[in-house]
Amino acid sequence: MDKMVNLKINNIPVSVPEGTNVLEAARSAGIRIPSLCYLKDINEMGACRMCIVEIKGGKNLVASCVYPVSEGMEVFTDTEKVRNSRRITLELILSNHRMECLTCPRNGNCELRQLAAELGIDEVRYSGSQDKQPELDTSALHLVRDNSKCILCRRCVSACRKLQAVGVIGPNDRGFATHIGSAFDRPLAEVDCISCGQCTVVCPTGALTEKDDTDQVLAALRDPTKHVVVGAAPSVRVTLGECFGNPVGTNVEGKMYAALRRLGFDKVFDVNNAADLTILEEGTEFLHRLESGGTLPLFTSCSPGWIRFLEQDFPEFIPNVSTCRSPQQMFGAMVKSYYAEKEGIDPKDIVVVCIMPCTAKKYECKREEQRLPNGCMPVDISITTRELGRMIEKAGIMFNSLKDEECDPLLGMATGAGVIFGATGGVMEAALRTVVAKVTGSEMGPLEFHEVRGTKEIKEAEYALPGKTVRVCVASGVSNIKKVLKGIKSGELNYDFVEFMCCPGGCVNGGGQPYQPADVRGHVDLKALRAKALYRQDEQSTYRKSHENPMIKELYETYLGEPGSHKAHELLHTTYAAQKRYRV
Amino acid sequence: MPNTKTAVPFQGTKEQEEQLRRIIAEYKDTPGATMPILQAAQSIYGYLPEEVQIIIAEELDVPLSEIYGVASFYAQFTLNPKGKYRISVCLGTACYVKGAANILQAIKDKLGIEAGGITPDGLFSLDACRCVGACGLAPVMMINDEVYGRLTPKEVGPILDKYKE
């Protein structure tokens, strides 16, 4: 039990554990202290000076996000002095911020703008640098940085360094020249950025946004010669609703299908179906490696951010990664082969659009080794949940009042196993369901593998199969992936099968998911609530094991042969290659 | 201070690298190792090019962006080597009021580099400095140990040309 400290906040007595900062203590008294840089447990550095408060007996105002409580302390969060100081600081921040609010991608969910409204800033008295020009880095496939809107809060830097242990950005130079950038101010495309997009979800302003590819989607939809097919990733159905004010963890699958039809897609399939397909291929690959003494542990390959990290930082483990394409790429591959042949459409006339929780998927779908034997790239355009939200809004679709619809079954129908891909541990659980059934030859085995569920950063479990105990591990967030890889390398950790997801908590917390202000992010367990909605859908599914999916069965019977067949290899598997970390 | 990548190709030797790695090994496990290592690296190489910062980042197992952030923060660190001819333009008070900014601009225009930079052939490096103690001759610039006083922007070109020969 932590030692408790008693203090007063605006004369209200509160008791909080020792070591708590004043900002969090104030929350327990029902007072929200504004901040632009604070990100609980991740970015606590007092950079923005918005959270300053007055402490009785103190000489100066203090930044409450880095000021620990002490016994008998008296804090005042809303005095005239505090208000004035916050207003002046915010005006100074705004004086150096390129204000194009009406045309900014963050219009409507900008934390800076929100705070300016809260503090009643109706005038900026300081002119700073007049006619500020955009300072753009558009080099990367997945995001755009515009430093003219950056307020130097360092949230992106912390997300990159602490959550993802990649650290490709940091504050460069000093004083007024200070700016966030890569080493030697190289463009993002030239450094070892893994494209995860975690920096974009924590940015309070429009300085970091995903690269908007929605115009390409619209162009395809308006082109009468193109047959446009769409599929959304498992996690998108439990997050898209947030773009329309629904509570975190609302499943809007039916409305999502309805909205996609209203946007004009010719076929509304579902990447869940390809997730099931992934399990059959990956499960077969695992069993094959297990039986034939192949390279183990087997690593999952669904997460392109993780793959990029592996290729750059741990290329020695490339033989351990499953050769399976990710569900997004399997989806595109099936559309442009199986579906195209079945419907008699030239695959070159098909445009495959994927809705992803992920910015790295934009990079993945452009990787040359993804090209299919027929010369097509499996996926043409990959957009994030946020971009889909904006497309729906712009099209005037009244999302919340739409009636639920079903997806087109052919490459849409999915099992509960496919749905849970969106949460950390989901791919492992889905694979175990199928692997256990295959090994035991019985469908009576366990259906739920609770040991691999939950938002714990690294999860381990052992399952006894006939003749072999399978040791599994699930890790999400690159900092945790790094720990596991180092452990495996040193021989300290021993597993047979490992699920790695680049983003902490898996795809439900992906870099392309809807914005939530830092205040919500720090105090609502987004990962758990969103994942819960996926597991609920799994529970309610008719089929819960990938190999029971009737559409997948038909796909193998009529087209692919069997999992791991030559044709399956051509269409559903890929290769990896070591990549350089530095470009000198 | 311009902190762009230097235009001069890296010419570090094996001996220099060995020396650097020895120093890194010495400091590696002490907290705050970055500063003394960067200082040592600059004294070995004369500047802190990307190649050297990568060695430091890898050895300390910290991101390159972190090393670069420190190197670009402190004015004492330079990302460019010094040229064969080191030009220093005095921007002290006396020189400044006598138009030293125009002298600096003329050199920048002539050489196509910013203060802190170096020409790609490694011949000239340019720095702005504070008072050199020759206020009577303002505005003043120095090229290595040679002092040029009472300069006008027009005179800059011919002086630099002299060094090119």
Side-chain angles (χ1 to χ4, degrees):
Chain A
M1 184 73 192
D2 289 325
K3 192 180 160 225
M4 299 303 276
V5 173
N6 301 296
L7 69 157
K8 279 184 180 170
I9 296 185
N10 299 348
N11 298 316
I12 301 164
V14 289
S15 185
V16 294
E18 193 177 18
T20 306
N21 64 45
V22 170
L23 186 142
E24 292 295 338
R27 275 190 79 87
S28 67
I31 293 154
R32 189 172 57 79
I33 296 174
S35 172
L36 288 170
C37 67
Y38 181 67
L39 206 55
K40 193 163 175 271
D41 302 328
I42 298 165
N43 198 43
E44 301 183 353
M45 60 188 318
C48 76
R49 315 312 288 181
M50 279 300 121
C51 71
I52 43 111
V53 294
E54 215 172 328
I55 308 255
K56 194 175 179 184
K59 218 171 84 188
N60 296 318
L61 297 172
V62 299
S64 61
C65 71
V66 286
Y67 204 82
V69 294
S70 60
E71 189 63 35
M73 178 187 266
E74 287 187 52
V75 181
F76 300 94
T77 69
D78 196 30
T79 62
E80 192 60 23
K81 195 173 167 189
V82 165
R83 281 195 183 203
N84 278 338
S85 171
R86 284 183 190 156
R87 287 177 56 100
I88 289 170
T89 305
L90 190 58
E91 276 186 69
L92 286 167
I93 291 173
L94 289 171
S95 75
N96 205 30
H97 175 79
R98 186 163 70 89
M99 282 190 275
E100 50 143 27
C101 300
L102 290 181
T103 52
C104 178
R106 289 299 298 270
N107 184 7
N109 50 35
C110 171
E111 290 181 51
L112 180 60
R113 198 177 173 190
Q114 176 66 33
L115 189 57
E118 261 173 45
L119 297 188
I121 307 286
D122 41 24
E123 171 193 26
V124 176
R125 290 167 293 172
Y126 315 107
S127 57
S129 58
Q130 306 266 357
D131 72 332
K132 210 168 157 73
Q133 297 301 306
E135 295 159 33
L136 294 170
D137 178 357
T138 57
S139 64
L141 288 168
H142 64 292
L143 69 77
V144 175
R145 171 180 282 283
D146 183 352
N147 271 343
S148 67
K149 293 178 186 169
C150 174
I151 59 167
L152 300 174
C153 70
R154 266 70 154 184
R155 280 189 199 167
C156 56
V157 176
S158 292
C160 194
R161 284 186 189 168
K162 292 189 193 162
L163 289 179
Q164 301 299 61
V166 185
V168 296
I169 46 171
N172 292 344
D173 291 337
R174 185 176 50 172
F176 271 117
T178 309
H179 62 280
I180 307 299
S182 304
F184 293 84
D185 282 314
R186 281 184 179 274
L188 203 56
E190 277 183 30
V191 297
D192 49 338
C193 169
I194 58 168
S195 319
C196 72
Q198 285 296 319
C199 55
T200 65
V201 283
V202 296
C203 181
T205 72
L208 282 166
T209 51
E210 68 282 350
K211 193 168 261 182
D212 191 312
D213 292 318
T214 58
D215 282 349
Q216 286 178 54
V217 179
L218 283 176
L221 289 170
R222 284 173 185 148
D223 184 343
T225 67
K226 296 290 177 201
H227 184 78
V228 191
V229 174
V230 71
S235 64
V236 174
R237 69 212 66 226
V238 296
T239 58
L240 179 63
E242 292 169 35
C243 296
F244 305 97
N246 291 286
V248 176
T250 308
N251 189 330
V252 295
E253 185 183 77
K255 292 188 198 311
M256 175 181 81
Y257 295 144
L260 290 171
R261 286 218 175 81
R262 276 154 189 74
L263 283 171
F265 288 100
D266 296 301
K267 280 285 174 192
V268 177
F269 290 140
D270 199 319
V271 176
N272 282 0
N273 176 279
D276 279 334
L277 188 56
T278 305
I279 288 304
L280 289 190
E281 290 298 322
E282 203 162 279
T284 305
E285 183 181 1
F286 175 61
L287 288 175
H288 180 74
R289 288 191 188 205
L290 205 57
E291 283 154 13
S292 70
T295 309
L296 289 175
L298 176 68
F299 298 158
T300 59
S301 59
C302 308
S303 170
W306 136 244
I307 295 295
R308 174 86 185 254
F309 174 74
L310 163 94
E311 290 177 324
Q312 279 173 181
D313 288 57
F314 290 89
E316 65 270 31
F317 281 118
I318 286 177
N320 293 74
V321 188
S322 164
T323 57
C324 289
R325 293 179 200 254
S326 71
Q328 162 174 282
Q329 299 302 112
M330 282 201 185
F331 173 75
M334 284 300 98
V335 171
K336 290 197 180 177
S337 57
Y338 174 62
Y339 171 74
E341 286 168 39
K342 209 173 161 91
E343 295 293 309
I345 307 171
D346 183 347
K348 294 190 175 57
D349 292 331
I350 299 178
V351 176
V352 175
V353 178
C354 283
I355 320 293
M356 289 284 140
C358 182
T359 49
K361 291 282 172 187
K362 289 176 185 287
Y363 149 79
E364 179 186 56
C365 74
K366 302 291 179 218
R367 286 181 63 135
E368 195 47 41
E369 61 272 28
Q370 293 289 336
R371 197 172 288 282
L372 296 170
N374 66 10
C376 293
M377 290 300 263
V379 175
D380 299 281
I381 312 164
S382 184
I383 63 170
T384 59
T385 313
R386 297 195 289 266
E387 289 166 272
L388 175 62
R390 288 202 297 274
M391 280 190 78
I392 293 171
E393 205 174 275
K394 282 184 189 167
I397 294 165
M398 296 157 72
F399 187 82
N400 287 333
S401 49
L402 291 175
K403 286 222 164 46
D404 286 357
E405 291 183 12
E406 296 287 330
C407 65
D408 295 309
L410 188 68
L411 291 175
M413 187 175 187
T415 71
V419 175
I420 58 173
F421 261 58
T424 163
V427 177
M428 181 57 71
E429 181 166 348
L432 288 169
R433 288 180 191 176
T434 290
V435 166
V436 169
K438 295 274 177 210
V439 172
T440 59
S442 156
E443 297 299 336
M444 304 307 287
L447 198 54
E448 296 188 349
F449 295 81
H450 288 273
E451 300 77 9
V452 296
R453 292 189 184 183
T455 53
K456 209 175 134 213
E457 295 172 333
I458 299 171
K459 295 167 278 189
E460 292 174 305
E462 286 190 1
Y463 298 103
L465 294 180
K468 165 87 183 163
T469 296
V470 173
R471 297 155 299 175
V472 306
C473 171
V474 171
S476 67
V478 180
S479 55
N480 301 311
I481 293 178
K482 212 170 168 177
K483 278 182 214 156
V484 173
L485 288 178
K486 279 186 175 169
I488 295 174
K489 207 170 165 175
S490 70
E492 213 173 299
L493 300 173
N494 281 293
Y495 307 114
D496 300 302
F497 197 2
V498 187
E499 178 202 292
F500 286 132
M501 288 294 161
C502 176
C503 291
C507 307
V508 285
N509 189 39
Q513 296 287 29
Y515 294 116
Q516 287 291 351
D519 192 44
V520 172
R521 203 157 267 285
H523 300 96
V524 175
D525 195 344
L526 296 178
K527 300 170 221 167
L529 289 173
R530 290 167 175 173
K532 204 171 146 196
L534 291 176
Y535 287 110
R536 206 179 303 126
Q537 181 169 341
D538 169 37
E539 275 165 32
Q540 293 162 352
S541 298
T542 316
Y543 301 103
R544 298 185 65 188
K545 294 174 190 162
S546 298
H547 59 277
E548 292 178 341
N549 183 335
M551 290 297 159
I552 296 291
K553 279 185 188 168
E554 194 190 313
L555 176 64
Y556 277 107
E557 276 161 24
T558 63
Y559 192 71
L560 291 171
E562 54 187 25
S565 71
H566 179 68
K567 192 160 191 177
H569 261 275
E570 272 190 352
L571 292 168
L572 304 177
H573 291 252
T574 185
T575 55
Y576 313 100
Q579 294 194 39
K580 273 201 271 182
R581 273 187 78 183
Y582 307 107
R583 310 282 193 281
V584 285
Chain B
M1 182 170 123
N3 275 310
T4 48
K5 195 170 153 46
T6 182
V8 182
F10 179 60
Q11 286 168 334
T13 64
K14 222 176 162 57
E15 289 71 35
Q16 284 175 316
E17 187 175 327
E18 277 164 15
Q19 203 184 341
L20 175 65
R21 286 187 192 276
R22 264 201 309 278
I23 284 164
I24 297 173
E26 192 182 312
Y27 285 102
K28 208 170 181 169
D29 300 319
T30 41
T34 309
M35 281 300 280
I37 291 173
L38 282 175
Q39 281 165 337
Q42 180 153 307
S43 75
I44 295 168
Y45 291 94
Y47 69 122
L48 296 171
E50 197 167 8
E51 290 81 355
V52 170
Q53 292 192 32
I54 288 172
I55 295 174
I56 298 171
E58 297 264 282
E59 287 289 322
L60 295 180
D61 195 20
V62 298
L64 180 61
S65 70
E66 211 168 308
I67 301 296
Y68 179 79
V70 176
S72 67
F73 182 91
Y74 292 102
Q76 76 180 87
F77 293 127
T78 170
L79 302 175
N80 282 296
K82 292 293 164 238
K84 186 175 175 199
Y85 302 112
R86 299 185 307 275
I87 309 170
S88 303
V89 179
C90 178
L91 290 185
T93 312
C95 288
Y96 198 84
V97 297
K98 286 287 220 174
N102 298 333
I103 303 297
L104 183 63
Q105 191 57 51
I107 302 171
K108 285 183 190 174
D109 292 345
K110 169 86 182 162
L111 298 177
I113 57 172
E114 289 294 310
I118 180 167
T119 54
D121 57 9
L123 209 54
F124 294 103
S125 59
L126 175 62
D127 283 298
C129 67
R130 291 296 173 266
C131 190
V132 296
C135 305
L137 299 175
V140 167
M141 75 166 172
M142 288 178 73
I143 299 182
N144 292 350
D145 294 330
E146 201 71 34
V147 179
Y148 297 87
R150 296 199 179 105
L151 283 168
T152 63
K154 260 192 242 157
E155 290 165 359
V156 166
I159 293 173
L160 295 180
D161 286 339
K162 215 171 67 189
Y163 286 88
K164 276 186 182 170
E165 285 152 16

